[in-house]
Amino acid sequence: MKLFRRISEASKWFQARRRAGKRIVLVPTMGALHTGHLSLFRKARRLAGRKGVVAASIFVNPAQFGPREDFRSYPRALKRDLALCKKAGIDAVFHPSAGSMYAANHSSWADETRLSRGLCGRSRPGHFRGVCTVVAKLFNIVQPAIAVFGEKDYQQAQVIRRMVRDLNFPVRIIVTPTRREPDGLAMSSRNLYLSPAQRGQAPRIRRALMEARRQVRMRSHPAPVLARKIKSRLAGFRVDYVEVVDARTLESVKRAQRGDRVAVAAFLGKTRLIDNIIL
Ligand code: AMP
């Protein structure tokens, strides 16, 4: 397995692979890898084929964290991550430094301005600009034919699809289902922050979403009523938002019905958890 820290070396290596006719599939991550990431790696391998190249990037992207967010404390576990990548059959890991990705006078950004307005974009101003910028940079450096993202970050996946379409990145975006703990909690690097008591509470988000889906499958509900029902099951959380949105436009809907998405962001202590479900 190759490990690249320098952008120029990574670029050169990927370019040579591409010229040799290899299909490159990229999985962007922030590291602290868990089973959710590994499922993306497996999907990437299937898409690349035995002869293709599967690349993972591990980069805690400062540009997508707000000033009062957890950039400094975000879990970092490079040695363990590299062992997991090797075991998963990753061909190349790209792990640049923040300084090499963002020059001191960096002043250019990729910004999606519609799908990123609501949900996490509302509570995390600048977050999706940071995400789009780093993903655009990774696409330019690696130039993958395909990139794989997780449905756990539903809004992120939609925003990236839109950016790729609008800016004509020659990359196919594949989105894979959310991997969960046996009790339903969506796997996340941030779950490491949870105390045992919080960890016990955390699966209630999933249960509230499943219950909402069950109710909507019986009959449609006014969206605010459904959101209230979900919130009422999240006592003990500090709810950031519960929203029922059109799965494609991410605009709020008036009536919640089959096929819509419900997205939740809620804090347990300082830990912000997100999840979503299709109704
Ligand atoms: P992160 O390292 O949290 O930035 O995530 C890297 C990629 O893994 C993103 O595309 C996420 O959507 C995806 N991902 C994170 N958690 C999960 C999960 N539980 N199941 C599937 N994909 C996930």
Side-chain angles (χ1 to χ4, degrees):
M1 185 178 77
K2 288 273 181 190
L3 171 62
F4 297 105
R5 300 230 48 190
R6 287 178 186 286
I7 294 172
S8 56
E9 284 167 12
S11 279
K12 225 189 281 166
W13 189 83
F14 285 111
Q15 190 176 49
R17 295 287 135 342
R18 217 167 28 256
R19 291 209 171 130
K22 309 259 185 213
R23 172 186 289 171
I24 300 171
V25 182
L26 172 67
V27 183
T29 83
M30 298 206 298
L33 300 178
H34 51 68
T35 309
H37 296 113
L38 299 185
S39 75
L40 268 57
F41 293 166
R42 272 197 298 278
K43 180 71 181 179
R45 173 52 66 195
R46 282 199 295 277
L47 291 161
R50 222 160 28 88
K51 293 194 181 137
V53 171
V54 177
S57 59
I58 297 177
F59 180 59
V60 184
N61 172 34
Q64 70 188 69
F65 288 80
R68 272 181 293 281
E69 291 183 353
D70 56 343
F71 172 68
R72 277 164 185 280
S73 58
Y74 195 85
R76 288 163 174 88
L78 185 64
K79 242 175 112 179
R80 182 175 170 277
D81 286 350
L82 292 177
L84 286 170
C85 286
K86 202 162 173 191
K87 201 160 156 231
I90 299 290
D91 298 300
V93 173
F94 178 49
H95 175 58
S97 67
S100 67
M101 289 291 272
Y102 297 101
N105 58 354
H106 178 100
S107 56
S108 309
W109 303 93
D111 202 4
E112 194 287 327
T113 58
R114 188 171 292 263
L115 301 177
S116 55
R117 278 192 307 209
L119 305 174
C120 288
R122 187 167 299 128
S123 23
R124 304 184 68 189
H127 170 67
F128 287 112
R129 186 180 83 153
V131 169
C132 284
T133 301
V134 81
V135 169
K137 287 167 70 68
L138 292 169
F139 286 177
N140 284 333
I141 294 162
V142 176
Q143 298 191 24
I146 304 173
V148 184
F149 293 86
E151 199 174 35
K152 152 97 192 321
D153 301 275
Y154 185 78
Q155 185 180 19
Q156 168 174 283
Q158 298 305 309
V159 165
I160 287 166
R161 273 190 197 288
R162 176 64 61 87
M163 174 183 81
V164 161
R165 187 203 70 180
D166 287 351
L167 300 182
N168 308 97
F169 281 94
V171 183
R172 190 157 67 126
I173 302 299
I174 300 290
V175 180
T176 69
T178 303
R179 293 296 302 254
R180 299 179 179 281
E181 302 290 353
D183 59 14
L185 174 64
M187 289 179 174
S188 162
S189 307
R190 289 193 170 96
N191 294 349
L192 294 168
Y193 297 145
L194 298 172
S195 70
Q198 291 169 338
R199 177 63 189 79
Q201 296 294 306
R204 283 166 51 211
I205 297 180
R206 169 67 170 172
R207 273 185 243 134
L209 290 175
M210 296 281 278
E211 177 58 20
R213 167 152 80 186
R214 202 180 62 78
Q215 293 184 345
V216 168
R217 295 242 161 142
M218 290 192 296
R219 61 183 166 79
S220 74
H221 286 58
V225 171
L226 195 73
R228 261 201 309 280
K229 284 186 190 215
I230 294 171
K231 281 184 198 156
S232 73
R233 292 171 175 273
L234 296 178
F237 289 76
R238 183 158 62 78
V239 175
D240 178 358
Y241 64 76
V242 173
E243 265 192 68
V244 190
V245 297
D246 180 282
R248 294 231 313 266
T249 64
L250 304 187
E251 305 271 355
S252 293
V253 298
K254 289 210 170 72
R255 273 199 93 75
Q257 44 200 347
R258 228 173 220 270
D260 292 336
R261 278 271 156 184
V262 185
V264 172
F267 287 88
L268 275 174
K270 284 187 177 161
T271 306
R272 188 171 181 276
L273 301 173
I274 59 171
D275 204 346
N276 68 86
I277 198 168
I278 184 164
L279 291 178

